[in-house]
PDB file of all heavy atoms in Angstrom:
ATOM      1  N   GLN O 272       6.659   4.794  -0.065  1.00  0.00           N
ATOM      2  CA  GLN O 272       6.303   3.439  -0.474  1.00  0.00           C
ATOM      3  C   GLN O 272       7.569   2.629  -0.707  1.00  0.00           C
ATOM      4  O   GLN O 272       8.543   3.112  -1.292  1.00  0.00           O
ATOM      5  CB  GLN O 272       5.471   3.481  -1.753  1.00  0.00           C
ATOM      6  CG  GLN O 272       4.912   2.138  -2.168  1.00  0.00           C
ATOM      7  CD  GLN O 272       3.997   2.266  -3.377  1.00  0.00           C
ATOM      8  OE1 GLN O 272       4.101   3.212  -4.154  1.00  0.00           O
ATOM      9  NE2 GLN O 272       3.089   1.323  -3.536  1.00  0.00           N
ATOM     10  N   LYS O 273       7.590   1.386  -0.235  1.00  0.00           N
ATOM     11  CA  LYS O 273       8.761   0.534  -0.410  1.00  0.00           C
ATOM     12  C   LYS O 273       8.828   0.011  -1.844  1.00  0.00           C
ATOM     13  O   LYS O 273       7.840   0.044  -2.587  1.00  0.00           O
ATOM     14  CB  LYS O 273       8.713  -0.628   0.582  1.00  0.00           C
ATOM     15  CG  LYS O 273       8.762  -0.180   2.046  1.00  0.00           C
ATOM     16  CD  LYS O 273       8.733  -1.363   2.984  1.00  0.00           C
ATOM     17  CE  LYS O 273       9.991  -2.208   2.849  1.00  0.00           C
ATOM     18  NZ  LYS O 273       9.998  -3.344   3.789  1.00  0.00           N
ATOM     19  N   SER O 274       9.951  -0.512  -2.216  1.00  0.00           N
ATOM     20  CA  SER O 274      10.164  -0.957  -3.594  1.00  0.00           C
ATOM     21  C   SER O 274       9.263  -2.128  -3.979  1.00  0.00           C
ATOM     22  O   SER O 274       8.971  -2.334  -5.163  1.00  0.00           O
ATOM     23  CB  SER O 274      11.628  -1.354  -3.796  1.00  0.00           C
ATOM     24  OG  SER O 274      12.003  -2.398  -2.891  1.00  0.00           O
ATOM     25  N   ASP O 275       8.793  -2.897  -2.989  1.00  0.00           N
ATOM     26  CA  ASP O 275       7.908  -4.026  -3.300  1.00  0.00           C
ATOM     27  C   ASP O 275       6.444  -3.604  -3.385  1.00  0.00           C
ATOM     28  O   ASP O 275       5.557  -4.435  -3.587  1.00  0.00           O
ATOM     29  CB  ASP O 275       8.076  -5.144  -2.276  1.00  0.00           C
ATOM     30  CG  ASP O 275       7.685  -4.722  -0.861  1.00  0.00           C
ATOM     31  OD1 ASP O 275       7.275  -3.551  -0.669  1.00  0.00           O
ATOM     32  OD2 ASP O 275       7.797  -5.553   0.060  1.00  0.00           O
ATOM     33  N   GLY O 276       6.170  -2.306  -3.215  1.00  0.00           N
ATOM     34  CA  GLY O 276       4.810  -1.801  -3.322  1.00  0.00           C
ATOM     35  C   GLY O 276       4.109  -1.608  -1.997  1.00  0.00           C
ATOM     36  O   GLY O 276       2.995  -1.089  -1.948  1.00  0.00           O
ATOM     37  N   SER O 277       4.733  -1.997  -0.904  1.00  0.00           N
ATOM     38  CA  SER O 277       4.084  -1.922   0.408  1.00  0.00           C
ATOM     39  C   SER O 277       4.484  -0.651   1.153  1.00  0.00           C
ATOM     40  O   SER O 277       5.403   0.075   0.748  1.00  0.00           O
ATOM     41  CB  SER O 277       4.460  -3.140   1.244  1.00  0.00           C
ATOM     42  OG  SER O 277       5.843  -3.096   1.592  1.00  0.00           O
ATOM     43  N   TRP O 278       3.767  -0.405   2.240  1.00  0.00           N
ATOM     44  CA  TRP O 278       4.151   0.611   3.221  1.00  0.00           C
ATOM     45  C   TRP O 278       4.342  -0.101   4.542  1.00  0.00           C
ATOM     46  O   TRP O 278       3.661  -1.099   4.830  1.00  0.00           O
ATOM     47  CB  TRP O 278       3.068   1.675   3.370  1.00  0.00           C
ATOM     48  CG  TRP O 278       3.014   2.675   2.259  1.00  0.00           C
ATOM     49  CD1 TRP O 278       3.609   3.912   2.216  1.00  0.00           C
ATOM     50  CD2 TRP O 278       2.312   2.547   1.013  1.00  0.00           C
ATOM     51  NE1 TRP O 278       3.309   4.550   1.037  1.00  0.00           N
ATOM     52  CE2 TRP O 278       2.521   3.738   0.280  1.00  0.00           C
ATOM     53  CE3 TRP O 278       1.528   1.545   0.450  1.00  0.00           C
ATOM     54  CZ2 TRP O 278       1.969   3.953  -0.976  1.00  0.00           C
ATOM     55  CZ3 TRP O 278       0.986   1.741  -0.808  1.00  0.00           C
ATOM     56  CH2 TRP O 278       1.209   2.936  -1.516  1.00  0.00           C
ATOM     57  N   GLN O 279       5.258   0.399   5.356  1.00  0.00           N
ATOM     58  CA  GLN O 279       5.526  -0.313   6.591  1.00  0.00           C
ATOM     59  C   GLN O 279       6.058   0.642   7.645  1.00  0.00           C
ATOM     60  O   GLN O 279       7.108   1.254   7.475  1.00  0.00           O
ATOM     61  CB  GLN O 279       6.549  -1.428   6.347  1.00  0.00           C
ATOM     62  CG  GLN O 279       6.848  -2.280   7.567  1.00  0.00           C
ATOM     63  CD  GLN O 279       7.920  -3.312   7.284  1.00  0.00           C
ATOM     64  OE1 GLN O 279       9.029  -3.209   7.779  1.00  0.00           O
ATOM     65  NE2 GLN O 279       7.593  -4.305   6.475  1.00  0.00           N
ATOM     66  N   ASN O 280       5.295   0.762   8.745  1.00  0.00           N
ATOM     67  CA  ASN O 280       5.786   1.507   9.894  1.00  0.00           C
ATOM     68  C   ASN O 280       6.692   0.616  10.736  1.00  0.00           C
ATOM     69  O   ASN O 280       7.713   1.045  11.236  1.00  0.00           O
ATOM     70  CB  ASN O 280       4.612   2.023  10.726  1.00  0.00           C
ATOM     71  CG  ASN O 280       5.071   2.866  11.898  1.00  0.00           C
ATOM     72  OD1 ASN O 280       5.931   3.715  11.754  1.00  0.00           O
ATOM     73  ND2 ASN O 280       4.512   2.619  13.072  1.00  0.00           N
ATOM     74  N   MET O 281       6.285  -0.657  10.872  1.00  0.00           N
ATOM     75  CA  MET O 281       7.102  -1.680  11.498  1.00  0.00           C
ATOM     76  C   MET O 281       6.666  -3.022  10.919  1.00  0.00           C
ATOM     77  O   MET O 281       5.608  -3.115  10.281  1.00  0.00           O
ATOM     78  CB  MET O 281       6.974  -1.649  13.031  1.00  0.00           C
ATOM     79  CG  MET O 281       5.580  -1.879  13.552  1.00  0.00           C
ATOM     80  SD  MET O 281       5.405  -1.532  15.330  1.00  0.00           S
ATOM     81  CE  MET O 281       6.780  -2.416  16.001  1.00  0.00           C
ATOM     82  N   ALA O 282       7.464  -4.053  11.111  1.00  0.00           N
ATOM     83  CA  ALA O 282       7.216  -5.329  10.444  1.00  0.00           C
ATOM     84  C   ALA O 282       5.840  -5.890  10.752  1.00  0.00           C
ATOM     85  O   ALA O 282       5.206  -6.528   9.908  1.00  0.00           O
ATOM     86  CB  ALA O 282       8.300  -6.339  10.850  1.00  0.00           C
ATOM     87  N   GLN O 283       5.358  -5.638  11.957  1.00  0.00           N
ATOM     88  CA  GLN O 283       4.078  -6.219  12.353  1.00  0.00           C
ATOM     89  C   GLN O 283       2.878  -5.506  11.748  1.00  0.00           C
ATOM     90  O   GLN O 283       1.751  -5.996  11.832  1.00  0.00           O
ATOM     91  CB  GLN O 283       3.954  -6.206  13.885  1.00  0.00           C
ATOM     92  CG  GLN O 283       4.962  -7.086  14.592  1.00  0.00           C
ATOM     93  CD  GLN O 283       6.252  -6.348  14.897  1.00  0.00           C
ATOM     94  OE1 GLN O 283       6.523  -5.309  14.310  1.00  0.00           O
ATOM     95  NE2 GLN O 283       7.057  -6.882  15.795  1.00  0.00           N
ATOM     96  N   THR O 284       3.087  -4.322  11.192  1.00  0.00           N
ATOM     97  CA  THR O 284       1.948  -3.528  10.719  1.00  0.00           C
ATOM     98  C   THR O 284       1.955  -3.320   9.215  1.00  0.00           C
ATOM     99  O   THR O 284       1.239  -2.461   8.712  1.00  0.00           O
ATOM    100  CB  THR O 284       1.922  -2.161  11.425  1.00  0.00           C
ATOM    101  OG1 THR O 284       3.119  -1.426  11.090  1.00  0.00           O
ATOM    102  CG2 THR O 284       1.840  -2.323  12.936  1.00  0.00           C
ATOM    103  N   ASP O 285       2.762  -4.098   8.461  1.00  0.00           N
ATOM    104  CA  ASP O 285       2.880  -3.834   7.031  1.00  0.00           C
ATOM    105  C   ASP O 285       1.559  -4.027   6.288  1.00  0.00           C
ATOM    106  O   ASP O 285       1.218  -3.256   5.385  1.00  0.00           O
ATOM    107  CB  ASP O 285       3.983  -4.690   6.393  1.00  0.00           C
ATOM    108  CG  ASP O 285       3.848  -6.169   6.704  1.00  0.00           C
ATOM    109  OD1 ASP O 285       2.874  -6.555   7.388  1.00  0.00           O
ATOM    110  OD2 ASP O 285       4.714  -6.949   6.267  1.00  0.00           O
ATOM    111  N   VAL O 286       0.766  -5.045   6.682  1.00  0.00           N
ATOM    112  CA  VAL O 286      -0.517  -5.278   6.017  1.00  0.00           C
ATOM    113  C   VAL O 286      -1.465  -4.112   6.264  1.00  0.00           C
ATOM    114  O   VAL O 286      -2.069  -3.569   5.337  1.00  0.00           O
ATOM    115  CB  VAL O 286      -1.149  -6.601   6.496  1.00  0.00           C
ATOM    116  CG1 VAL O 286      -2.550  -6.765   5.923  1.00  0.00           C
ATOM    117  CG2 VAL O 286      -0.275  -7.790   6.095  1.00  0.00           C
ATOM    118  N   ARG O 287      -1.579  -3.709   7.517  1.00  0.00           N
ATOM    119  CA  ARG O 287      -2.460  -2.588   7.847  1.00  0.00           C
ATOM    120  C   ARG O 287      -2.001  -1.298   7.166  1.00  0.00           C
ATOM    121  O   ARG O 287      -2.801  -0.569   6.578  1.00  0.00           O
ATOM    122  CB  ARG O 287      -2.480  -2.374   9.363  1.00  0.00           C
ATOM    123  CG  ARG O 287      -3.379  -1.236   9.830  1.00  0.00           C
ATOM    124  CD  ARG O 287      -3.032  -0.793  11.236  1.00  0.00           C
ATOM    125  NE  ARG O 287      -1.691  -0.214  11.291  1.00  0.00           N
ATOM    126  CZ  ARG O 287      -1.081   0.117  12.419  1.00  0.00           C
ATOM    127  NH1 ARG O 287      -1.665  -0.097  13.578  1.00  0.00           N
ATOM    128  NH2 ARG O 287       0.134   0.647  12.394  1.00  0.00           N
ATOM    129  N   ASP O 288      -0.686  -1.017   7.239  1.00  0.00           N
ATOM    130  CA  ASP O 288      -0.169   0.226   6.677  1.00  0.00           C
ATOM    131  C   ASP O 288      -0.368   0.281   5.168  1.00  0.00           C
ATOM    132  O   ASP O 288      -0.732   1.321   4.609  1.00  0.00           O
ATOM    133  CB  ASP O 288       1.320   0.362   7.007  1.00  0.00           C
ATOM    134  CG  ASP O 288       1.577   0.399   8.508  1.00  0.00           C
ATOM    135  OD1 ASP O 288       0.637   0.744   9.251  1.00  0.00           O
ATOM    136  OD2 ASP O 288       2.697   0.075   8.913  1.00  0.00           O
ATOM    137  N   THR O 289      -0.139  -0.852   4.498  1.00  0.00           N
ATOM    138  CA  THR O 289      -0.308  -0.895   3.046  1.00  0.00           C
ATOM    139  C   THR O 289      -1.770  -0.716   2.656  1.00  0.00           C
ATOM    140  O   THR O 289      -2.095   0.019   1.721  1.00  0.00           O
ATOM    141  CB  THR O 289       0.227  -2.225   2.484  1.00  0.00           C
ATOM    142  OG1 THR O 289       1.617  -2.342   2.818  1.00  0.00           O
ATOM    143  CG2 THR O 289       0.073  -2.284   0.968  1.00  0.00           C
ATOM    144  N   ALA O 290      -2.653  -1.377   3.380  1.00  0.00           N
ATOM    145  CA  ALA O 290      -4.079  -1.253   3.081  1.00  0.00           C
ATOM    146  C   ALA O 290      -4.558   0.182   3.254  1.00  0.00           C
ATOM    147  O   ALA O 290      -5.290   0.720   2.417  1.00  0.00           O
ATOM    148  CB  ALA O 290      -4.888  -2.197   3.963  1.00  0.00           C
ATOM    149  N   GLU O 291      -4.138   0.836   4.334  1.00  0.00           N
ATOM    150  CA  GLU O 291      -4.572   2.206   4.605  1.00  0.00           C
ATOM    151  C   GLU O 291      -3.991   3.183   3.572  1.00  0.00           C
ATOM    152  O   GLU O 291      -4.697   4.064   3.073  1.00  0.00           O
ATOM    153  CB  GLU O 291      -4.147   2.620   6.008  1.00  0.00           C
ATOM    154  CG  GLU O 291      -4.846   1.868   7.120  1.00  0.00           C
ATOM    155  CD  GLU O 291      -6.309   2.247   7.239  1.00  0.00           C
ATOM    156  OE1 GLU O 291      -6.704   3.304   6.711  1.00  0.00           O
ATOM    157  OE2 GLU O 291      -7.069   1.483   7.853  1.00  0.00           O
ATOM    158  N   ALA O 292      -2.701   3.034   3.263  1.00  0.00           N
ATOM    159  CA  ALA O 292      -2.073   3.945   2.318  1.00  0.00           C
ATOM    160  C   ALA O 292      -2.657   3.778   0.919  1.00  0.00           C
ATOM    161  O   ALA O 292      -2.954   4.766   0.221  1.00  0.00           O
ATOM    162  CB  ALA O 292      -0.560   3.707   2.296  1.00  0.00           C
ATOM    163  N   ALA O 293      -2.840   2.520   0.485  1.00  0.00           N
ATOM    164  CA  ALA O 293      -3.391   2.279  -0.851  1.00  0.00           C
ATOM    165  C   ALA O 293      -4.828   2.780  -0.948  1.00  0.00           C
ATOM    166  O   ALA O 293      -5.243   3.352  -1.962  1.00  0.00           O
ATOM    167  CB  ALA O 293      -3.319   0.789  -1.187  1.00  0.00           C
ATOM    168  N   ALA O 294      -5.603   2.573   0.112  1.00  0.00           N
ATOM    169  CA  ALA O 294      -6.984   3.037   0.105  1.00  0.00           C
ATOM    170  C   ALA O 294      -7.055   4.558  -0.005  1.00  0.00           C
ATOM    171  O   ALA O 294      -7.964   5.114  -0.629  1.00  0.00           O
ATOM    172  CB  ALA O 294      -7.701   2.574   1.369  1.00  0.00           C
ATOM    173  N   THR O 295      -6.083   5.250   0.585  1.00  0.00           N
ATOM    174  CA  THR O 295      -6.041   6.713   0.504  1.00  0.00           C
ATOM    175  C   THR O 295      -5.638   7.170  -0.891  1.00  0.00           C
ATOM    176  O   THR O 295      -6.279   8.043  -1.492  1.00  0.00           O
ATOM    177  CB  THR O 295      -5.051   7.271   1.537  1.00  0.00           C
ATOM    178  OG1 THR O 295      -5.478   6.882   2.855  1.00  0.00           O
ATOM    179  CG2 THR O 295      -4.975   8.781   1.456  1.00  0.00           C
ATOM    180  N   LEU O 296      -4.585   6.566  -1.435  1.00  0.00           N
ATOM    181  CA  LEU O 296      -4.080   6.996  -2.740  1.00  0.00           C
ATOM    182  C   LEU O 296      -5.016   6.629  -3.884  1.00  0.00           C
ATOM    183  O   LEU O 296      -4.915   7.185  -4.980  1.00  0.00           O
ATOM    184  CB  LEU O 296      -2.705   6.370  -2.984  1.00  0.00           C
ATOM    185  CG  LEU O 296      -1.591   6.852  -2.041  1.00  0.00           C
ATOM    186  CD1 LEU O 296      -0.261   6.192  -2.405  1.00  0.00           C
ATOM    187  CD2 LEU O 296      -1.453   8.368  -2.074  1.00  0.00           C
ATOM    188  N   LYS O 297      -5.934   5.716  -3.638  1.00  0.00           N
ATOM    189  CA  LYS O 297      -6.908   5.331  -4.656  1.00  0.00           C
ATOM    190  C   LYS O 297      -7.705   6.537  -5.154  1.00  0.00           C
ATOM    191  O   LYS O 297      -8.181   6.569  -6.291  1.00  0.00           O
ATOM    192  CB  LYS O 297      -7.854   4.273  -4.075  1.00  0.00           C
ATOM    193  CG  LYS O 297      -8.926   3.780  -5.033  1.00  0.00           C
ATOM    194  CD  LYS O 297      -9.814   2.760  -4.349  1.00  0.00           C
ATOM    195  CE  LYS O 297     -10.907   2.251  -5.287  1.00  0.00           C
ATOM    196  NZ  LYS O 297     -11.785   1.265  -4.606  1.00  0.00           N
ATOM    197  N   ASN O 298      -7.806   7.566  -4.319  1.00  0.00           N
ATOM    198  CA  ASN O 298      -8.630   8.729  -4.644  1.00  0.00           C
ATOM    199  C   ASN O 298      -7.890   9.787  -5.457  1.00  0.00           C
ATOM    200  O   ASN O 298      -8.474  10.831  -5.776  1.00  0.00           O
ATOM    201  CB  ASN O 298      -9.145   9.362  -3.346  1.00  0.00           C
ATOM    202  CG  ASN O 298      -9.965   8.396  -2.519  1.00  0.00           C
ATOM    203  OD1 ASN O 298     -10.982   7.903  -2.972  1.00  0.00           O
ATOM    204  ND2 ASN O 298      -9.511   8.110  -1.306  1.00  0.00           N
ATOM    205  N   PHE O 299      -6.608   9.534  -5.794  1.00  0.00           N
ATOM    206  CA  PHE O 299      -5.807  10.554  -6.477  1.00  0.00           C
ATOM    207  C   PHE O 299      -5.206   9.988  -7.761  1.00  0.00           C
ATOM    208  O   PHE O 299      -4.446   9.012  -7.730  1.00  0.00           O
ATOM    209  CB  PHE O 299      -4.689  11.058  -5.554  1.00  0.00           C
ATOM    210  CG  PHE O 299      -5.218  11.671  -4.275  1.00  0.00           C
ATOM    211  CD1 PHE O 299      -5.386  10.899  -3.136  1.00  0.00           C
ATOM    212  CD2 PHE O 299      -5.571  13.015  -4.238  1.00  0.00           C
ATOM    213  CE1 PHE O 299      -5.881  11.451  -1.971  1.00  0.00           C
ATOM    214  CE2 PHE O 299      -6.070  13.576  -3.067  1.00  0.00           C
ATOM    215  CZ  PHE O 299      -6.231  12.795  -1.934  1.00  0.00           C
ATOM    216  N   ALA O 300      -5.540  10.614  -8.883  1.00  0.00           N
ATOM    217  CA  ALA O 300      -5.059  10.140 -10.180  1.00  0.00           C
ATOM    218  C   ALA O 300      -3.536  10.178 -10.265  1.00  0.00           C
ATOM    219  O   ALA O 300      -2.914   9.324 -10.903  1.00  0.00           O
ATOM    220  CB  ALA O 300      -5.676  10.991 -11.296  1.00  0.00           C
ATOM    221  N   SER O 301      -2.924  11.149  -9.607  1.00  0.00           N
ATOM    222  CA  SER O 301      -1.464  11.277  -9.665  1.00  0.00           C
ATOM    223  C   SER O 301      -0.759  10.111  -8.989  1.00  0.00           C
ATOM    224  O   SER O 301       0.436   9.897  -9.209  1.00  0.00           O
ATOM    225  CB  SER O 301      -1.025  12.587  -9.010  1.00  0.00           C
ATOM    226  OG  SER O 301      -1.418  12.615  -7.638  1.00  0.00           O
ATOM    227  N   ALA O 302      -1.480   9.357  -8.172  1.00  0.00           N
ATOM    228  CA  ALA O 302      -0.874   8.245  -7.435  1.00  0.00           C
ATOM    229  C   ALA O 302      -1.344   6.899  -7.949  1.00  0.00           C
ATOM    230  O   ALA O 302      -1.231   5.890  -7.239  1.00  0.00           O
ATOM    231  CB  ALA O 302      -1.187   8.385  -5.950  1.00  0.00           C
ATOM    232  N   GLU O 303      -1.845   6.850  -9.170  1.00  0.00           N
ATOM    233  CA  GLU O 303      -2.399   5.605  -9.688  1.00  0.00           C
ATOM    234  C   GLU O 303      -1.378   4.472  -9.679  1.00  0.00           C
ATOM    235  O   GLU O 303      -1.684   3.334  -9.326  1.00  0.00           O
ATOM    236  CB  GLU O 303      -2.940   5.813 -11.099  1.00  0.00           C
ATOM    237  CG  GLU O 303      -3.576   4.561 -11.705  1.00  0.00           C
ATOM    238  CD  GLU O 303      -4.148   4.801 -13.085  1.00  0.00           C
ATOM    239  OE1 GLU O 303      -4.121   5.956 -13.546  1.00  0.00           O
ATOM    240  OE2 GLU O 303      -4.616   3.832 -13.711  1.00  0.00           O
ATOM    241  N   VAL O 304      -0.139   4.786 -10.089  1.00  0.00           N
ATOM    242  CA  VAL O 304       0.901   3.759 -10.133  1.00  0.00           C
ATOM    243  C   VAL O 304       1.189   3.234  -8.727  1.00  0.00           C
ATOM    244  O   VAL O 304       1.317   2.024  -8.507  1.00  0.00           O
ATOM    245  CB  VAL O 304       2.184   4.323 -10.777  1.00  0.00           C
ATOM    246  CG1 VAL O 304       3.326   3.307 -10.664  1.00  0.00           C
ATOM    247  CG2 VAL O 304       1.936   4.675 -12.236  1.00  0.00           C
ATOM    248  N   ASN O 305       1.258   4.148  -7.765  1.00  0.00           N
ATOM    249  CA  ASN O 305       1.539   3.745  -6.383  1.00  0.00           C
ATOM    250  C   ASN O 305       0.397   2.918  -5.809  1.00  0.00           C
ATOM    251  O   ASN O 305       0.613   1.908  -5.120  1.00  0.00           O
ATOM    252  CB  ASN O 305       1.762   4.976  -5.520  1.00  0.00           C
ATOM    253  CG  ASN O 305       2.896   5.840  -6.020  1.00  0.00           C
ATOM    254  OD1 ASN O 305       2.708   6.590  -6.979  1.00  0.00           O
ATOM    255  ND2 ASN O 305       4.058   5.748  -5.393  1.00  0.00           N
ATOM    256  N   TYR O 306      -0.828   3.352  -6.093  1.00  0.00           N
ATOM    257  CA  TYR O 306      -1.992   2.609  -5.606  1.00  0.00           C
ATOM    258  C   TYR O 306      -2.004   1.190  -6.172  1.00  0.00           C
ATOM    259  O   TYR O 306      -2.206   0.219  -5.450  1.00  0.00           O
ATOM    260  CB  TYR O 306      -3.282   3.335  -5.995  1.00  0.00           C
ATOM    261  CG  TYR O 306      -4.493   2.431  -5.946  1.00  0.00           C
ATOM    262  CD1 TYR O 306      -5.008   2.003  -4.727  1.00  0.00           C
ATOM    263  CD2 TYR O 306      -5.094   1.969  -7.115  1.00  0.00           C
ATOM    264  CE1 TYR O 306      -6.103   1.154  -4.671  1.00  0.00           C
ATOM    265  CE2 TYR O 306      -6.184   1.118  -7.069  1.00  0.00           C
ATOM    266  CZ  TYR O 306      -6.691   0.715  -5.850  1.00  0.00           C
ATOM    267  OH  TYR O 306      -7.767  -0.133  -5.805  1.00  0.00           O
ATOM    268  N   THR O 307      -1.737   1.076  -7.495  1.00  0.00           N
ATOM    269  CA  THR O 307      -1.761  -0.241  -8.134  1.00  0.00           C
ATOM    270  C   THR O 307      -0.704  -1.157  -7.539  1.00  0.00           C
ATOM    271  O   THR O 307      -0.951  -2.338  -7.268  1.00  0.00           O
ATOM    272  CB  THR O 307      -1.537  -0.099  -9.645  1.00  0.00           C
ATOM    273  OG1 THR O 307      -2.557   0.739 -10.194  1.00  0.00           O
ATOM    274  CG2 THR O 307      -1.569  -1.461 -10.328  1.00  0.00           C
ATOM    275  N   ALA O 308       0.488  -0.604  -7.291  1.00  0.00           N
ATOM    276  CA  ALA O 308       1.563  -1.411  -6.704  1.00  0.00           C
ATOM    277  C   ALA O 308       1.187  -1.882  -5.304  1.00  0.00           C
ATOM    278  O   ALA O 308       1.433  -3.027  -4.927  1.00  0.00           O
ATOM    279  CB  ALA O 308       2.853  -0.601  -6.669  1.00  0.00           C
ATOM    280  N   GLY O 309       0.569  -0.990  -4.532  1.00  0.00           N
ATOM    281  CA  GLY O 309       0.140  -1.378  -3.194  1.00  0.00           C
ATOM    282  C   GLY O 309      -0.979  -2.402  -3.224  1.00  0.00           C
ATOM    283  O   GLY O 309      -1.007  -3.349  -2.439  1.00  0.00           O
ATOM    284  N   PHE O 310      -1.896  -2.217  -4.155  1.00  0.00           N
ATOM    285  CA  PHE O 310      -3.030  -3.137  -4.298  1.00  0.00           C
ATOM    286  C   PHE O 310      -2.547  -4.545  -4.644  1.00  0.00           C
ATOM    287  O   PHE O 310      -3.109  -5.542  -4.199  1.00  0.00           O
ATOM    288  CB  PHE O 310      -3.961  -2.618  -5.383  1.00  0.00           C
ATOM    289  CG  PHE O 310      -5.227  -3.419  -5.544  1.00  0.00           C
ATOM    290  CD1 PHE O 310      -6.353  -3.119  -4.791  1.00  0.00           C
ATOM    291  CD2 PHE O 310      -5.304  -4.476  -6.448  1.00  0.00           C
ATOM    292  CE1 PHE O 310      -7.522  -3.851  -4.927  1.00  0.00           C
ATOM    293  CE2 PHE O 310      -6.465  -5.211  -6.588  1.00  0.00           C
ATOM    294  CZ  PHE O 310      -7.582  -4.894  -5.832  1.00  0.00           C
ATOM    295  N   GLN O 311      -1.496  -4.614  -5.434  1.00  0.00           N
ATOM    296  CA  GLN O 311      -1.001  -5.907  -5.901  1.00  0.00           C
ATOM    297  C   GLN O 311       0.095  -6.486  -5.003  1.00  0.00           C
ATOM    298  O   GLN O 311       0.637  -7.549  -5.312  1.00  0.00           O
ATOM    299  CB  GLN O 311      -0.467  -5.762  -7.330  1.00  0.00           C
ATOM    300  CG  GLN O 311      -1.547  -5.396  -8.339  1.00  0.00           C
ATOM    301  CD  GLN O 311      -1.000  -5.155  -9.734  1.00  0.00           C
ATOM    302  OE1 GLN O 311       0.201  -4.955  -9.916  1.00  0.00           O
ATOM    303  NE2 GLN O 311      -1.879  -5.162 -10.723  1.00  0.00           N
ATOM    304  N   TRP O 312       0.423  -5.792  -3.936  1.00  0.00           N
ATOM    305  CA  TRP O 312       1.476  -6.297  -3.041  1.00  0.00           C
ATOM    306  C   TRP O 312       1.111  -7.704  -2.565  1.00  0.00           C
ATOM    307  O   TRP O 312       0.047  -7.918  -1.985  1.00  0.00           O
ATOM    308  CB  TRP O 312       1.610  -5.355  -1.845  1.00  0.00           C
ATOM    309  CG  TRP O 312       2.646  -5.772  -0.847  1.00  0.00           C
ATOM    310  CD1 TRP O 312       3.963  -6.054  -1.075  1.00  0.00           C
ATOM    311  CD2 TRP O 312       2.426  -5.963   0.554  1.00  0.00           C
ATOM    312  NE1 TRP O 312       4.584  -6.399   0.085  1.00  0.00           N
ATOM    313  CE2 TRP O 312       3.671  -6.360   1.115  1.00  0.00           C
ATOM    314  CE3 TRP O 312       1.329  -5.837   1.395  1.00  0.00           C
ATOM    315  CZ2 TRP O 312       3.834  -6.623   2.469  1.00  0.00           C
ATOM    316  CZ3 TRP O 312       1.483  -6.101   2.743  1.00  0.00           C
ATOM    317  CH2 TRP O 312       2.724  -6.484   3.270  1.00  0.00           C
ATOM    318  N   PRO O 313       1.953  -8.693  -2.787  1.00  0.00           N
ATOM    319  CA  PRO O 313       1.584 -10.096  -2.502  1.00  0.00           C
ATOM    320  C   PRO O 313       1.179 -10.358  -1.074  1.00  0.00           C
ATOM    321  O   PRO O 313       0.235 -11.103  -0.815  1.00  0.00           O
ATOM    322  CB  PRO O 313       2.880 -10.861  -2.870  1.00  0.00           C
ATOM    323  CG  PRO O 313       3.568  -9.977  -3.848  1.00  0.00           C
ATOM    324  CD  PRO O 313       3.253  -8.580  -3.414  1.00  0.00           C
ATOM    325  N   ALA O 314       1.858  -9.734  -0.119  1.00  0.00           N
ATOM    326  CA  ALA O 314       1.564 -10.058   1.275  1.00  0.00           C
ATOM    327  C   ALA O 314       0.204  -9.564   1.726  1.00  0.00           C
ATOM    328  O   ALA O 314      -0.345 -10.048   2.699  1.00  0.00           O
ATOM    329  CB  ALA O 314       2.650  -9.436   2.186  1.00  0.00           C
ATOM    330  N   ALA O 315      -0.356  -8.612   0.989  1.00  0.00           N
ATOM    331  CA  ALA O 315      -1.666  -8.073   1.378  1.00  0.00           C
ATOM    332  C   ALA O 315      -2.795  -9.014   1.050  1.00  0.00           C
ATOM    333  O   ALA O 315      -3.866  -8.936   1.612  1.00  0.00           O
ATOM    334  CB  ALA O 315      -1.897  -6.719   0.703  1.00  0.00           C
ATOM    335  N   GLY O 316      -2.579  -9.903   0.080  1.00  0.00           N
ATOM    336  CA  GLY O 316      -3.606 -10.887  -0.247  1.00  0.00           C
ATOM    337  C   GLY O 316      -4.716 -10.303  -1.094  1.00  0.00           C
ATOM    338  O   GLY O 316      -4.986 -10.756  -2.198  1.00  0.00           O
ATOM    339  N   VAL O 317      -5.376  -9.283  -0.605  1.00  0.00           N
ATOM    340  CA  VAL O 317      -6.445  -8.612  -1.352  1.00  0.00           C
ATOM    341  C   VAL O 317      -6.254  -7.128  -1.212  1.00  0.00           C
ATOM    342  O   VAL O 317      -5.684  -6.635  -0.241  1.00  0.00           O
ATOM    343  CB  VAL O 317      -7.840  -9.000  -0.829  1.00  0.00           C
ATOM    344  CG1 VAL O 317      -8.118 -10.479  -1.041  1.00  0.00           C
ATOM    345  CG2 VAL O 317      -7.987  -8.657   0.642  1.00  0.00           C
TER     346      VAL O 317
END
């Protein structure tokens, strides 16, 4: 996970990558902080 809370395979796919990674980590209590950061990433919008 990047420092701004996002995931990025390449610049064009950051929204998709962040949404997929956050949706996966949502299911694991150990990743709550990471999920929250991804969920709140500004560029994702929702």
Side-chain angles (χ1 to χ4, degrees):
Q272 187 175 24
K273 297 181 66 178
S274 59
D275 63 0
S277 68
W278 283 265
Q279 183 183 110
N280 183 45
M281 60 191 311
Q283 295 89 342
T284 63
D285 52 2
V286 174
R287 181 198 65 188
D288 299 338
T289 301
E291 293 290 342
T295 300
L296 294 182
K297 180 181 180 181
N298 301 300
F299 300 92
S301 61
E303 182 178 356
V304 173
N305 302 78
Y306 161 72
T307 301
F310 185 88
Q311 295 176 343
W312 179 54
V317 296

